[in-house]
């Protein structure tokens, strides 16, 4: 069979180009190149031009040069596959076919358009439909609105907006529709926002994401009575957030009653290609139009979206822009025409079926997990799984009584929804990071708050999601649930411990996914606000550094980059064996130690400054006394030398030493007499935060020893106090004839000597021989 040489060469070039662009293996020389090389600087076009290999190499560098660390983008490129190559080839063929003569181009485009439309109508059970191919998935609905306006307003082509002014059109959309859809339609159609009516979802019966049909009926009646024209209703077969389907059967009956157009969109329309379709989605085949996004469902890049519709008047479709007399416009279907033939009917159904099986696999596993709440409309065939972490607080002993509950809301209960949103936000980000092939993301639902969404129909074909990825996702979720539950339980206890501890201030930050936020409160001594703020920042920064140096499993940080509190220590997620009392005690003791050391250094600096001033005055006084003793003649350079040679002047050296402990100048006469420097007064002990809690071998700090799985309970602080009491138990009393020496009375002289030789903290950097400066000067 003969093949056009140009087509064969085009396919060969495309294969070579894709292999080059998808090759992520870099040479060692390329990895060691600088980030900004000479070739990256744009310059003038070369006069002789460049070959295709050089140009593609430049494209590859632009694609991967700044994304070497982002594995997700490289992973997407690796999963384009051959079916993606066919879609890309379609764009090249469209440009090549556009140069044919007009008659051949018309025949070819008509065949491509009719074939693709017929295949899609049969595949998605939409009989006798026409198709409009568009790049923006909202453009199809926009053209449908124009078609309905032309249909309902006979003089619209001649009169324009004047006919709309006499009878205002109304477009109804669900409150669960994607954000900005109504405003976009009004802007593109030139209609005021009053022409858009948002229909609330069910609040008492049924799904929280389905359109309220009874309320919609009352809204339409009110609009008809006020002289308005109900024009079009946009329903969902899979809401953008939770994937729920509206009651399409009842909505179709309502639209027929008021002569309205029913348009359906959503991810659940993909299940129309399967052998078994739920009745709620199957009702979409009776609607007036629907929009299909085959690119994401089948993993086809640069494939247009398709809007299928039924209308009998082709002239109105042409006026609305749904059909075009230009053959080039019909070439939009060419990439999809090639891709559908390459995949075949079985390949298309298999991809959609695989995505549905992934959802069912995850849903079955989520049913067996505690503290996981799902929001699924139809568990048998829902391709979207939305779930969230949810657990009732276990510590309710301190909640207000029934009589006080109406007047004093409990802080934990009132902030429960916000805390769950924060925890689920963290959970979704962790799962997306640990299992990137799953494609999970975080979604905000109006009635349920923050949830984690798994929509494989939109991501699995591109990411290559498999069953093992879903199993890995479940395993990661099982690992995160104990951390979430323990953090949620200990969060209230941590707040109470901090509020009871002197020197610590609890900071309530509901947007922080962790144990809590604490700040060491600095005790100001009449300082101004600026100095106090600097001192507070210094102490809490040093506190954070000290806590991170401890060998623990906790994470201490400064909090989020934006929106966090200043001068605070943020504590992340924790496990059930955390000893909250020990943690709070350590934070308070470390903060006090840092503050006392800071005050000690500050006081020592002041003492040294005053000592230097006093030393300068005594040196000046000593010079004046020496001048009086030696006389005026000895101060003259030549005469003084001759006089000192004939009659030497004997004067005893008078040195001074600065005692850092006492903060005063002392005479060095005792040093010359004893030929040794005295130790002086014993310095005060350095404040420390040493904890006497005994630990098992290998047990990290802040860990409570759990002997069995039931050791963790609500009374964790009580058990901690019991552990401390056990460690402080004394041995039994001895008989009068027995004698036992404790470590404290074993070597009192040695312990006293060690305490004497311990310098105060913060003075290690001061040289020991600085107190002999005056002595050395006198000797010289």
């Amino acid at each position: 069979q003969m093949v056009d040489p140009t087509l064969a060469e085009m396919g060969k070039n495309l294969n070579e180009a894709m292999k080059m662009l998808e090759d992520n293996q870099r040479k060692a020389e390329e990895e060691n190149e600088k980030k900004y090389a000479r070739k990256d600087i744009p310059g003038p076009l070369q006069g002789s031009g460049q070959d295709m290999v050089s140009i593609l190499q430049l494209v590859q560098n632009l694609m991967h040069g700044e994304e070497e660390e982002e594995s997700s983008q490289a992973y997407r490129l690796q999963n384009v596959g051959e079916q993606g190559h066919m879609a890309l080839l379609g764009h090249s063929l469209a440009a090549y076919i556009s140069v044919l003569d007009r008659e051949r181009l018309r025949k070819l485009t008509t065949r491509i358009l009719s074939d693709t439309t017929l295949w899609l109508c049969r595949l998605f059970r939409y009989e006798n439909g026409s198709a409009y191919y568009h790049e923006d998935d909202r453009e199809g609905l926009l053209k449908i609105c124009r078609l309905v306006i032309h249909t309902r307003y006979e003089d619209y082509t001649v009169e324009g907006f004047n006919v709309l002014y006499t009878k205002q059109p109304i477009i109804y959309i669900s409150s669960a529709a994607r954000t900005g859809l109504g405003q976009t339609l009004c802007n593109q159609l030139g209609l005021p926002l009053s022409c858009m009516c948002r229909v609330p979802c069910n609040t008492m019966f049924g799904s929280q994401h389905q359109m309220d049909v009874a309320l919609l009926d009352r809204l339409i009646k009110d609009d008809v009575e006020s002289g308005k024209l109900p024009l079009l209703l946009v329903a969902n077969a899979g809401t953008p957030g939770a994937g729920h389907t509206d009651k399409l059967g009842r909505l179709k009956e309502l639209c027929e009653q008021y002569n309205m157009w029913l348009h359906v969109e959503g991810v659940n329309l993909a299940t129309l290609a399967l052998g078994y379709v739920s009745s709620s989605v199957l009702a979409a085949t009776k609607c007036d139009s629907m929009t299909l996004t085959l690119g994401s469902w089948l993993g086809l890049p640069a494939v247009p979206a398709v809007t299928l519709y039924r209308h009998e008047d082709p002239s109105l479709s042409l006026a609305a822009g749904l059909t075009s007399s230009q053959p080039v416009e019909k070439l939009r279907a060419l990439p999809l025409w090639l891709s559908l033939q390459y995949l075949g009917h079985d390949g298309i159904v298999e991809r959609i079926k695989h995505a549905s099986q992934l959802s069912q696999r995850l849903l079955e596993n989520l049913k067996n997990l505690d503290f996981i709440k799902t929001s699924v409309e139809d568990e048998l065939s829902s391709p979207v799984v939305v779930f969230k972490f949810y657990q009732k607080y276990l510590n309710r002993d301190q909640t207000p009584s029934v009589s006080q509950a109406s007047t004093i809301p409990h802080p934990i209960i009132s902030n429960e929804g916000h805390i769950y949103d924060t925890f689920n936000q963290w959970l979704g980000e962790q799962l997306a990071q640990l299992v990137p092939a799953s494609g999970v993301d975080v979604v905000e639902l109006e009635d349920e708050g923050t949830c984690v969404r798994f929509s494989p129909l939109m991501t699995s074909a591109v990411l290559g999601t498999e069953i093992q990825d879903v199993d890995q996702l479940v395993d990661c979720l099982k690992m995160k649930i104990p951390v979430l539950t323990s953090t949620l339980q200990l969060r209230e206890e941590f707040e109470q411990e901090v509020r009871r501890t002197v020197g610590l201030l609890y900071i309530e930050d509901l947007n922080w996914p962790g144990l809590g936020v604490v700040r060491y409160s600095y005790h100001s001594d009449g300082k101004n606000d600026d100095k106090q703020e600097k001192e507070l920042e210094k102490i809490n920064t040093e506190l954070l550094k000290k806590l991170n140096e401890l060998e623990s499993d906790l994470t201490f940080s400064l909090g989020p980059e934006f929106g966090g509190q200043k001068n605070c220590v943020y504590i992340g997620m924790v496990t059930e064996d955390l000893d909250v009392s020990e943690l709070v005690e350590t934070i308070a003791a470390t903060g006090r130690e840092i503050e006392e050391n800071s005050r000690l250094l500050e006081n020592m600096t002041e003492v040294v400054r005053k000592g230097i001033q006093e030393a300068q005055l005594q040196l000046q006084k000593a010079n004046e006394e020496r001048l009086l003793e030696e006389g005026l003649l000895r101060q003259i350079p030549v005469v003084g030398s001759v006089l000192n040679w004939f009659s030497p002047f004997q004067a005893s050296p008078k040195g001074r030493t600065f005692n850092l402990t006492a903060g005063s100048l002392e005479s060095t006469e005792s040093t010359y007499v004893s030929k040794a420097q005295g130790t002086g007064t014993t310095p005060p002990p350095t404040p420390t935060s040493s904890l006497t809690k005994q630990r098992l071998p290998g047990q990290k700090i802040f860990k409570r020893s759990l002997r069995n799985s039931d050791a963790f309970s609500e009374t964790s602080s009580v058990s901690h106090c019991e552990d401390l009491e056990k460690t402080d138990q004394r041995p039994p009393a001895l008989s009068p004839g027995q004698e036992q020496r404790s470590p404290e009375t074993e070597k009192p002289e040695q312990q006293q000597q060690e305490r004497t030789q311990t310098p105060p903290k913060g003075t290690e950097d001061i040289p020991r021989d600085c107190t002999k400066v005056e002595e050395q000067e006198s000797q010289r």
Side-chain angles (χ1 to χ4, degrees):
Q1 187 176 1
M2 299 299 294
V3 181
D4 189 348
T6 305
L7 295 179
E9 185 68 19
M10 184 182 302
K12 180 181 177 181
N13 292 339
L14 180 65
N15 272 332
E16 294 178 355
M18 293 306 300
K19 288 180 180 179
M20 183 176 298
L21 292 177
E22 292 179 353
D23 185 13
N24 293 325
Q25 301 296 330
R26 303 298 181 88
K27 298 180 180 180
E29 294 80 9
E30 294 178 355
E31 293 179 353
N32 296 329
E33 285 181 353
K34 296 182 179 179
K35 184 176 181 181
Y36 298 101
R38 174 64 182 171
K39 62 181 181 180
D40 295 331
I41 302 177
L45 288 174
Q46 298 184 8
S48 57
Q50 301 185 51
D51 56 356
M52 186 181 67
V53 176
S54 301
I55 298 175
L56 291 177
Q57 184 66 38
L58 175 61
V59 174
Q60 180 183 5
N61 294 337
L62 294 176
M63 291 171 59
H64 302 286
E66 298 179 358
E67 299 177 355
E68 294 178 354
E69 299 180 357
E70 298 182 6
S71 58
S72 60
Q73 188 70 13
Y75 190 73
R76 286 176 178 269
L77 293 176
Q78 291 177 1
N79 286 274
V80 169
E82 294 185 3
Q83 77 279 358
H85 294 179
M86 295 301 297
L88 300 177
L89 178 61
H91 292 274
S92 302
L93 286 175
Y96 173 67
I97 294 175
S98 63
V99 300
L100 296 177
D101 60 90
R102 188 174 184 83
E103 184 61 25
R104 288 190 178 185
L105 180 61
R106 185 187 62 80
K107 292 181 179 180
L108 180 59
T109 54
T110 302
R111 171 66 183 273
I112 293 173
L113 193 62
S114 60
D115 287 352
T116 309
T117 302
L118 179 63
W119 295 337
L120 292 177
C121 289
R122 289 180 177 178
L123 188 63
F124 294 97
R125 307 169 186 252
Y126 198 80
E127 300 178 357
N128 301 324
S130 302
Y132 172 65
Y133 303 89
H134 46 93
E135 302 298 333
D136 189 353
D137 54 358
R138 296 172 298 184
E139 186 179 352
L141 177 58
L142 176 64
K143 295 299 177 64
I144 290 296
C145 291
R146 294 186 185 276
L147 173 63
V148 180
I149 291 177
H150 279 278
T151 304
R152 299 298 302 275
Y153 294 91
E154 297 179 357
D155 298 332
Y156 180 75
T157 306
V158 180
E159 299 293 334
F161 69 91
N162 289 326
V163 295
L164 303 180
Y165 179 77
T166 57
K167 203 168 187 179
Q168 183 179 359
I170 302 296
I171 300 175
Y172 302 90
I173 63 173
S174 172
S175 60
R178 46 183 165 173
T179 306
L181 178 62
Q183 185 175 2
T184 301
L185 293 177
C186 290
N187 292 339
Q188 296 296 324
L189 295 173
L191 300 176
L193 292 178
S194 58
C195 294
M196 192 62 55
C197 178
R198 294 179 62 88
V199 183
C201 295
N202 292 337
T203 55
M204 298 298 295
F205 305 100
S207 171
Q208 299 295 325
H209 306 277
Q210 288 181 336
M211 194 182 304
D212 194 333
V213 181
L215 181 58
L216 173 63
D217 190 8
R218 292 197 298 268
L219 292 175
I220 296 176
K221 289 181 179 179
D222 294 341
D223 291 335
V224 172
E225 293 175 358
S226 60
K228 299 178 181 179
L229 178 63
L231 194 68
L232 180 140
L233 172 64
V234 182
N236 292 303
T239 54
H244 289 215
T245 302
D246 291 327
K247 300 177 178 63
L248 300 179
R250 295 183 58 188
L251 292 178
K252 178 58 179 175
E253 295 175 359
L254 195 63
C255 290
E256 291 178 351
Q257 177 182 352
Y258 293 98
N259 194 19
M260 293 173 55
W261 185 284
L262 177 60
H263 178 84
V264 181
E265 59 181 21
V267 67
N268 291 357
L269 292 175
T271 59
L272 290 172
L274 302 179
Y276 170 77
V277 186
S278 62
S279 58
S280 59
V281 180
L282 189 60
T285 58
K286 304 300 181 182
C287 66
D288 298 301
S289 61
M290 65 169 64
T291 298
L292 311 175
T293 55
L294 298 171
S296 57
W297 299 347
L298 305 178
L300 302 176
V303 166
V306 185
T307 296
L308 302 179
Y309 65 97
R310 297 189 185 96
H311 199 266
E312 298 177 355
D313 192 346
S315 61
L316 294 182
S317 300
L318 180 63
L322 289 170
T323 58
S324 175
S325 59
Q326 299 295 327
V328 180
E329 295 291 333
K330 301 179 182 180
L331 289 176
R332 289 181 180 177
L334 181 58
L336 192 57
W337 183 75
L338 295 174
S339 301
L340 292 178
Q341 292 185 89
Y342 182 84
L343 290 174
H345 181 274
D346 295 339
I348 297 172
V349 174
E350 183 62 30
R351 284 179 176 268
I352 299 176
K353 184 179 179 181
H354 174 69
S356 300
Q357 290 175 348
L358 293 176
S359 299
Q360 295 302 314
R361 181 64 171 258
L362 178 61
L363 187 59
E364 292 174 359
N365 287 276
L366 293 180
K367 291 179 180 179
N368 302 324
L369 295 181
D370 296 331
F371 312 120
I372 293 297
K373 177 183 177 182
T374 59
S375 175
V376 179
E377 174 194 4
D378 188 358
E379 296 184 356
L380 298 178
S381 60
S382 177
V384 181
V385 179
V386 177
F387 61 93
K388 63 181 297 186
F389 166 76
Y390 186 78
Q391 175 200 15
K392 289 293 184 180
Y393 279 91
L394 300 180
N395 297 333
R396 293 301 191 191
D397 298 337
Q398 300 179 4
T399 55
S401 61
V402 179
S403 59
Q404 299 175 349
S406 59
T407 57
I408 307 177
H410 192 258
I412 298 297
I413 300 176
S414 59
N415 298 328
E416 185 172 324
H418 204 150
I419 294 176
Y420 277 126
D421 291 345
T422 302
F423 276 46
N424 282 283
Q425 178 77 26
W426 177 85
L427 177 62
E429 294 174 355
Q430 289 291 313
L431 294 178
Q433 182 179 0
L434 294 174
V435 193
S438 64
V440 296
D441 60 346
V442 180
V443 61
E444 297 286 342
L445 300 181
E446 183 177 357
D447 56 334
E448 298 182 7
T450 304
C451 299
V452 183
R453 179 178 58 186
F454 178 67
S455 182
L457 269 175
M458 301 298 293
T459 59
S460 62
V462 176
L463 298 178
T465 310
E466 299 293 340
I467 295 294
Q468 55 267 23
D469 297 323
V470 177
D471 296 339
Q472 183 182 0
L473 180 67
V474 175
D475 294 339
C476 294
L477 184 59
K478 291 179 180 179
M479 293 172 55
K480 297 300 179 182
I481 288 177
V483 178
L484 291 169
T485 54
S486 57
T487 305
L488 195 61
Q489 290 175 346
L490 297 175
R491 190 179 175 108
E492 182 180 359
E493 181 182 349
F494 175 76
E495 178 181 354
Q496 295 175 358
E497 288 287 341
V498 172
R499 295 188 185 278
R500 285 197 298 261
T501 304
V502 179
L504 295 183
L505 181 63
Y506 181 81
I507 305 299
E508 186 176 9
D509 191 348
L510 301 179
N511 295 322
W512 173 249
L515 184 64
V517 186
V518 64
R519 174 188 296 162
Y520 183 80
S521 58
Y522 173 68
H523 302 288
S524 60
D525 297 333
K527 299 181 180 180
N528 54 28
D529 295 339
D530 295 338
K531 188 173 182 180
Q532 181 179 353
E533 186 71 19
K534 293 180 180 179
E535 190 69 21
L536 179 65
E537 179 181 1
K538 180 180 178 182
I539 292 178
N540 283 277
T541 302
E542 186 66 21
L543 175 61
L544 177 63
K545 180 180 178 182
K546 293 286 186 182
L547 293 175
N548 283 323
E549 292 175 356
L550 299 176
E551 295 182 359
S552 67
D553 295 333
L554 301 181
T555 56
F556 304 93
S557 64
L558 293 174
E561 183 179 359
F562 302 101
Q565 297 285 340
K566 294 182 179 180
N567 304 328
C568 296
V569 177
Y570 285 75
I571 307 174
M573 293 289 177
V574 298
T575 55
E576 63 177 2
D577 56 351
L578 173 69
D579 196 330
V580 178
S581 301
E582 182 184 359
L583 172 62
V584 176
E585 180 184 354
T586 303
I587 294 175
T590 307
R592 286 194 299 268
E593 179 181 346
I594 296 173
E595 181 183 1
E596 292 175 3
N597 290 338
S598 176
R599 290 178 179 273
L600 181 62
L601 290 176
E602 183 178 353
N603 296 336
M604 186 177 296
T605 302
E606 184 66 21
V607 169
V608 172
R609 186 182 64 82
K610 293 182 179 180
I612 292 175
Q613 294 178 355
E614 183 179 354
Q616 291 177 349
L617 294 176
Q618 292 191 12
L619 285 175
Q620 183 179 1
K621 184 177 180 181
N623 291 332
E624 294 176 356
E625 293 177 355
R626 184 170 59 85
L627 180 61
L628 294 177
E629 292 179 359
E630 296 180 358
L632 183 60
L633 294 176
R634 293 183 182 273
Q635 308 304 319
I636 302 175
V638 179
V639 178
S641 300
V642 175
L643 187 59
N644 288 333
W645 185 76
F646 283 104
S647 176
F649 181 79
Q650 300 293 334
S652 60
K654 297 180 180 180
R656 296 289 187 273
T657 180
F658 184 72
N659 192 339
L660 291 176
T661 304
S664 60
L665 289 173
E666 299 177 357
S667 176
T668 58
E669 293 181 1
S670 60
T671 303
Y672 288 107
V673 172
S674 61
K675 304 298 182 181
Q677 185 176 1
T679 57
T681 311
T682 303
T686 303
T688 59
S689 60
S690 60
L691 300 177
T692 60
K693 179 179 178 180
Q694 296 180 356
R695 303 188 181 280
L696 299 176
Q699 183 181 0
K700 292 187 177 182
I701 193 173
F702 308 138
K703 293 295 183 181
R704 154 185 318 133
S705 58
L706 298 178
R707 298 184 180 180
N708 50 47
S709 59
D710 298 333
F712 179 72
S713 63
E714 303 173 8
T715 58
S716 57
S717 59
V718 177
S719 61
H720 174 66
C721 296
E722 294 177 354
D723 294 338
L724 293 179
E725 291 175 1
K726 292 179 180 179
T727 57
D728 294 339
Q729 289 180 355
R730 299 292 184 268
L734 302 177
S735 59
Q738 293 178 341
E739 180 181 1
Q740 180 177 358
R741 300 180 62 185
S742 63
E744 300 172 350
T745 60
E746 185 175 358
K747 294 181 181 180
E749 298 84 6
Q750 181 179 356
Q751 294 180 1
Q752 180 67 23
Q753 183 178 358
E754 291 177 357
R755 287 194 299 266
T756 304
Q757 295 178 357
T758 303
K761 189 171 183 180
T763 62
E764 294 85 350
D765 297 335
I766 301 178
R768 292 182 178 274
D769 55 351
C770 67
T771 59
K772 299 182 181 180
V773 175
E774 190 66 31
E775 177 185 350
Q776 294 175 1
E777 290 184 358
S778 62
Q779 291 178 358
R780 286 197 299 267

